[in-house]
């Protein structure tokens, strides 16, 4: 059901506008019902049926039908009056940048007021705009209504189908470009990435140092203890080392000394690596890695086999993405 939030209605500074909205909403519903009924009554068969089974109703309504335009113009005059009132308020409150923007933005209000044929049914757009405005200001809540859930579900399904087709079309086009040997990827590498290789090295170096400082330095002691425990456990599982304890007198001592030495060496090596990564000295290491991934244009052109392998890899990745895009998630949500 449609819920009305009385608290938001009372606390609003634009209470008068919300009252006008509710009045216009009621008049629009009455007017649309009047238009639909008159359109049905316009059929001769319906008039004959009413004359036969409900002559009193037919004789009462027929004069109204004859003057339908007059009665519809009464509604139109009210709608136009409300339209110009809101236009004046928008100009005074400077809602839009120019005073003449309002009728262009709310064009459906004006076109719906034309008392000609199917244009009258554009007043439905005015009903929708009023309901949306009241919902936006949290005066009413339409999210729990069946019609909203129905429209929302099929709107999401339509948008998913539409977006999937667009994405598949774009990805297929990218695949064709890659297969034809499009220079796009070479341009990206040579004109965009390669000239910024030093900047990328500096940025990655800084990020790695920050990550190491924030992740390793505060947990240095816990990491060292963990590494020593792991190394100690691995050494105890080593058969060759376990045989040392069978040496007379000095066997157990040698085994224990080796375990402590190896554990200390491994912990110190990893500690030093992480310390280097957390400092500015990691720049040369990161720069070498970036140079491997972003070789110079001459080096990249020389290795044609790797380029072809990279193109095939890109095509397979795009194909996998297309397969995932084809999955219809909205079907799983069907009631």
């Amino acid at each position: 059901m449609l819920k009305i939030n009385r608290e938001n209605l009372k606390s609003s500074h634009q209470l008068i506008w919300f009252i006008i909205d509710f009045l216009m909403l009621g008049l629009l519903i009455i007017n649309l019902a009047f238009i639909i009924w008159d359109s049905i009554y316009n059929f001769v068969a319906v008039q004959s049926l009413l004359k036969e089974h409900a002559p009193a109703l037919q004789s009462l309504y027929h004069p109204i039908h004859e003057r339908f335009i007059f009665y519809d113009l009464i509604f139109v005059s009210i709608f136009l009056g409300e339209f110009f009132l809101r236009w004046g308020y928008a100009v005074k409150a400077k809602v839009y940048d120019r005073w003449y923007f309002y009728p262009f933005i709310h064009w459906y209000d004006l076109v719906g007021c034309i008392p000609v044929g199917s244009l009258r049914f554009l007043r439905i757009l005015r009903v929708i705009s009023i309901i949306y405005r009241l919902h936006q200001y949290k005066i009413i809540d339409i999210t729990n209504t069946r019609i909203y859930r129905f429209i929302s579900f099929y709107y999401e399904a339509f948008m998913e189908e539409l977006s999937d087709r667009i994405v598949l079309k774009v990805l297929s086009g990218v695949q064709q470009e890659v297969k034809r040997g499009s220079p796009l990827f070479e341009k990206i590498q040579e004109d965009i990435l390669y000239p910024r290789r030093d900047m990328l090295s500096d940025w990655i170096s800084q990020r790695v140092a920050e990550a190491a400082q924030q992740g390793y330095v505060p947990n240095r002691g816990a990491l060292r203890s963990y590494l020593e425990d792991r190394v100690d456990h691995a050494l105890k599982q080593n058969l060759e080392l376990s045989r040392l304890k069978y040496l007379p007198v000095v066997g157990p001592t040698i085994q224990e000394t080796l375990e402590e030495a190896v554990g200390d060496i491994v912990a110190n090596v990893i500690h030093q690596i992480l310390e280097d990564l957390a400092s500015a000295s990691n720049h040369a290491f990161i720069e070498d890695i970036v140079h491997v991934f972003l070789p110079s244009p001459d080096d990249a052109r020389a290795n044609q086999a790797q380029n072809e392998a990279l193109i095939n890899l890109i095509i397979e990745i795009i194909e996998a993405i297309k397969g995932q895009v084809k999955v219809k998630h909205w079907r799983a949500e069907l009631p």
Side-chain angles (χ1 to χ4, degrees):
M1 292 181 62
L2 193 65
K3 295 183 179 180
I4 298 178
N5 193 323
R6 298 179 182 272
E7 293 300 322
N8 289 337
L9 188 61
K10 290 178 182 178
S11 62
S12 175
H13 296 292
Q14 297 182 337
L15 177 60
I16 184 64
W17 293 113
F18 295 135
I19 294 174
I20 292 175
D21 277 335
F22 279 113
L23 290 176
M24 289 298 107
L25 187 61
L27 287 174
L28 282 165
I29 292 173
I30 294 172
N31 181 237
L32 288 170
F34 179 46
I35 292 171
I36 293 171
W37 164 248
D38 192 77
S39 300
I40 296 172
Y41 182 83
N42 200 41
F43 293 102
V44 177
V46 175
Q47 295 183 26
S48 301
L49 189 65
L50 286 175
K51 187 180 291 185
E52 182 179 352
H53 296 282
L57 177 61
Q58 193 273 338
S59 60
L60 178 66
Y61 183 75
H62 192 74
I64 299 176
H65 173 70
E66 295 292 335
R67 305 183 63 190
F68 171 78
I69 296 294
F70 170 76
Y71 292 107
D72 188 56
L73 285 175
I74 295 175
F75 286 99
V76 169
S77 62
I78 297 173
F79 298 151
L80 284 176
E82 188 258 352
F83 176 83
F84 286 111
L85 179 64
R86 287 188 179 274
W87 188 2
Y89 173 78
V91 173
K92 182 179 179 181
K94 296 182 179 180
V95 177
Y96 303 106
D97 294 335
R98 296 290 186 272
W99 65 271
Y100 51 82
F101 281 8
Y102 185 87
F104 289 101
I105 295 174
H106 298 269
W107 59 271
Y108 48 85
D109 287 349
L110 284 177
V111 176
C113 288
I114 299 175
V116 177
S118 59
L119 292 179
R120 295 191 182 98
F121 287 99
L122 287 176
R123 296 170 197 178
I124 295 175
L125 296 177
R126 195 171 193 179
V127 173
I128 295 173
S129 68
I130 291 175
I131 292 175
Y132 175 75
R133 183 163 58 244
L134 293 174
H135 175 76
Q136 192 176 30
Y137 283 100
K138 299 181 180 180
I139 302 304
I140 61 175
D141 183 11
I142 62 174
T143 56
N144 293 322
T145 58
R146 290 184 178 180
I147 187 170
Y148 176 84
R149 291 197 295 268
F150 176 83
I151 294 173
S152 177
F153 173 78
Y154 284 101
Y155 172 78
E156 293 296 333
F158 170 75
M159 292 304 296
E160 182 178 346
E161 290 287 342
L162 180 62
S163 62
D164 286 354
R165 291 180 182 273
I166 294 173
V167 171
L168 289 173
K169 184 69 175 178
V170 172
L171 292 176
S172 298
V174 172
Q175 281 183 313
Q176 294 300 323
E177 290 291 327
V178 172
K179 289 178 182 178
R180 286 197 297 264
S182 172
L184 174 62
F185 295 101
E186 293 180 3
K187 287 184 178 180
I188 292 174
Q189 180 174 333
E190 295 179 9
D191 300 340
I192 299 176
L193 295 178
Y194 181 73
R196 296 170 174 81
R197 192 164 62 172
D198 293 337
M199 182 193 72
L200 290 173
S201 299
D202 294 338
W203 182 80
I204 296 174
S205 174
Q206 182 180 0
R207 296 300 297 172
V208 170
E210 291 177 359
Q213 288 174 358
Q214 295 175 5
Y216 167 67
V217 174
N219 302 301
R220 182 184 307 170
L223 180 60
R224 186 180 182 89
S225 299
Y226 173 78
L227 289 173
E228 290 177 350
D229 291 340
R230 292 294 89 198
V231 171
D232 183 61
H233 178 74
L235 291 175
K236 287 180 179 178
Q237 300 298 320
N238 186 273
L239 294 176
E240 287 77 7
L241 190 62
S242 63
R243 290 170 184 166
L244 292 176
K245 66 181 179 181
Y246 296 111
L247 291 175
V249 183
V250 296
T253 304
I254 295 174
Q255 182 187 19
E256 184 179 354
T257 303
L258 282 174
E259 289 178 355
E260 292 179 356
V262 172
D264 191 58
I265 290 170
V266 171
N268 284 331
V269 169
I270 295 178
H271 169 74
Q272 188 59 49
I273 291 173
L274 292 174
E275 285 284 353
D276 291 340
L277 288 176
S279 66
S281 61
N282 70 3
H283 186 273
F285 172 69
I286 300 297
E287 187 176 9
D288 291 339
I289 294 177
V290 173
H291 286 187
V292 170
F293 284 98
L294 289 176
S296 64
D298 295 334
D299 294 337
R301 281 191 290 267
N303 199 340
Q304 188 64 28
Q306 288 187 0
N307 289 340
E308 291 180 0
L310 179 61
I311 289 174
N312 293 331
L313 176 62
I314 293 172
I315 292 174
E316 291 180 9
I317 292 173
I318 294 175
E319 194 65 36
I321 295 173
K322 287 169 63 178
Q324 182 62 32
V325 170
K326 290 179 181 178
V327 177
K328 307 301 181 186
H329 296 285
W330 65 269
R331 291 179 181 174
E333 300 177 3
L334 280 171

